[in-house]
Amino acid sequence: MKRLLSLLLPALLLAAAVPPARAAGEQALDLSCPSAVLMEKETGTILYEKNPHEKLAPASVTKVMTLLLVMEAVDSGRLSLDEMVTVSANAAGMGGSQVYLEQGEQMSVDEMLKCVTVVSGNDCAVALAEHLAGSEAAFVERMNQRAQELGMADTTFLNCTGLPAQGHVTSAYDIALMSRELILNHPAIQQYATIWMDSIRSGEFGLTNTNRLIRFYPGATGLKTGSTDAALYCMSATAQRDGMELIAVVMKAPTTNQRFEDAKALLDYGFANYALAPVYPEAPLAPVEVLLGVQAQVQPQLQRECRLLIRRGEESQISTRLTLAENVEAPVDPGQTLGQLDVYVGSQLRDSIPIQASQAVQRLSVPGIFSRMLSSLLMGR
């Protein structure tokens, strides 16, 4: 038997709101780039797009995938930040953006991550790839495999740096996907991506971030720039405000200044029009009766937190509908479903959160059942 309760959340839930993607017919942003995407990190919702699947050269934005694979190795324990990497002749000869590593030089994974993220060091990227996979070619194979796993259907990687190579392409949408994977599941990357100025080799070699937004855009958290003659000026820019982090991808902007202006325009649009609203039941969840259990009740709890992406101005339209069992028969397992909380914006169902048992409740044994019955009879006298 279940009871149905309709619980309206207060209008003061949040001073911000949002729905999924850009509405049809909504005025386009004035961007210089031919391809762009704006994505919200937590939900992966596309908030704005312009030719999102156009296959273009990404230049050093390629290194988002390089960083992702390295961070996955670090976070899984396969690689240590203190581990020393020995530079090969191949890595030392990369050219382009570099920190001028020499063959045989050793540098820690930590320092190399900093160099790749802050100054886009091609030599460090290749050194890390070789150290992790044995060769750049083997690492690139893993890059393409990971791209497939993430649903990056527009992408073919031919190197780990983004140096010019015919057929090395991706799209704004795919860059947003790998950027989201990196910042969502490996937040430690922000320790490197937010560095404005630093140094290596005991202060002998200075580093200044190629991403100007780190210094000049409020809330900037990263992530990666890139430019070549063919790719022109690209970037994946991340920023966070009021608990919401956005990913703005710009492809093939005509100049470096226009690249940053396009990224700012995308981020400004997102923060001005969208927000994440935390959603809760209006009242605490009442305990559920357990039939034939060693405990008479079990406490229900939401399986996860709910933060709803809404358009600003829609906060008063949020409502919830709670469906919760009145009782459940023992045994009860931890995490057993007891109901669900449906979340609406207006009449549109936007999320459903399972409600689960917070603990196990064992079933009474046969002697236990008789003992309880006897106690009930005695108490009833």
Side-chain angles (χ1 to χ4, degrees):
M1 184 177 177
K2 297 184 177 181
R3 63 176 181 270
L4 190 65
L5 301 175
S6 294
L7 305 173
L8 292 178
L9 292 179
L12 296 178
L13 186 64
L14 193 74
V18 329
R22 179 165 67 103
E26 186 173 314
Q27 185 176 2
L29 297 177
D30 183 18
L31 303 177
S32 70
C33 61
S35 177
V37 159
L38 178 67
M39 176 184 283
E40 190 277 317
K41 178 192 76 173
E42 190 168 309
T43 64
T45 301
I46 300 297
L47 306 182
Y48 190 93
E49 59 185 27
K50 177 182 180 181
N51 301 321
H53 294 286
E54 185 174 354
K55 295 182 180 181
L56 297 167
S60 284
V61 181
T62 296
K63 295 187 180 84
V64 171
M65 180 60 81
T66 303
L67 291 168
L68 173 60
L69 295 187
V70 174
M71 291 302 297
E72 286 179 340
V74 169
D75 288 345
S76 68
R78 290 183 290 120
L79 194 63
S80 166
L81 291 175
D82 297 331
E83 200 168 319
M84 299 304 291
V85 177
T86 302
V87 180
S88 69
N90 179 50
M94 272 300 108
S97 301
Q98 58 182 313
V99 295
Y100 302 98
L101 295 176
E102 296 182 0
Q103 182 180 357
E105 182 178 356
Q106 289 193 319
M107 185 176 286
S108 69
V109 170
D110 178 65
E111 291 280 81
M112 285 197 169
L113 273 169
K114 180 166 63 176
C115 293
V116 173
T117 309
V118 177
V119 296
S120 201
N122 293 322
D123 43 6
C124 288
V126 173
L128 284 168
E130 292 175 340
H131 184 77
L132 195 56
S135 69
E136 184 183 5
F139 187 84
V140 171
E141 185 177 341
R142 177 58 182 145
M143 290 172 70
N144 285 308
Q145 179 185 340
R146 195 71 181 94
Q148 290 182 6
E149 292 168 359
L150 293 174
M152 296 168 58
D154 307 321
T155 297
T156 301
F157 292 122
L158 298 178
N159 57 55
C160 68
T161 59
L163 286 168
Q166 188 67 35
H168 183 100
V169 294
T170 187
S171 66
Y173 179 78
D174 283 5
I175 290 172
L177 286 180
M178 65 179 177
S179 299
R180 176 177 184 255
E181 182 70 16
L182 177 59
I183 65 174
L184 180 65
N185 294 315
H186 307 281
I189 193 64
Q190 193 176 116
Q191 298 172 17
Y192 304 99
T194 53
I195 293 171
W196 174 239
M197 297 184 74
D198 206 329
S199 63
I200 55 172
R201 301 188 182 107
S202 301
E204 294 179 4
F205 191 92
L207 308 174
T208 302
N209 205 317
T210 57
N211 179 6
R212 290 187 209 160
L213 300 187
I214 293 302
R215 176 86 182 268
F216 300 108
Y217 189 81
T221 56
L223 186 59
K224 192 72 199 71
T225 62
S227 64
T228 64
D229 290 343
L232 298 182
Y233 296 90
C234 311
M235 81 176 303
S236 177
T238 58
Q240 181 172 327
R241 293 181 190 171
D242 299 323
M244 180 175 71
E245 191 162 13
L246 302 180
I247 303 160
V249 181
V250 172
M251 299 288 285
K252 210 168 185 176
T255 68
T256 184
N257 285 337
Q258 286 172 299
R259 163 180 60 187
F260 293 121
E261 290 304 312
D262 284 354
K264 288 194 293 184
L266 287 163
L267 293 169
D268 286 347
Y269 169 82
F271 289 126
N273 290 281
Y274 297 89
L276 283 172
V279 179
Y280 309 98
E282 188 177 69
L285 297 175
V288 173
E289 180 185 1
V290 179
L291 305 177
L292 301 178
V294 296
Q295 296 170 224
Q297 296 178 323
V298 64
Q299 180 60 46
Q301 64 183 14
L302 295 178
Q303 180 197 55
R304 56 178 170 81
E305 291 183 355
C306 177
R307 298 217 306 161
L308 198 65
L309 185 66
I310 55 174
R311 288 186 184 274
R312 291 187 179 272
E314 286 186 344
E315 65 276 5
S316 62
Q317 299 178 37
I318 299 175
S319 63
T320 63
R321 181 173 297 166
L322 176 66
T323 304
L324 188 62
E326 285 193 348
N327 55 59
V328 62
E329 186 173 327
V332 178
D333 297 322
Q336 182 173 325
T337 300
L338 302 175
Q340 71 180 35
L341 184 71
D342 292 329
V343 184
Y344 293 83
V345 176
S347 61
Q348 182 186 21
L349 177 64
R350 293 287 300 278
D351 200 358
S352 293
I353 304 102
I355 297 173
Q356 301 177 332
S358 61
Q359 68 215 66
V361 179
Q362 299 300 318
R363 188 179 179 89
L364 281 169
S365 63
V366 173
I369 293 173
F370 282 112
S371 175
R372 181 172 290 183
M373 291 174 61
L374 181 58
S375 295
S376 298
L377 289 172
L378 293 173
M379 289 177 64
R381 285 185 174 181

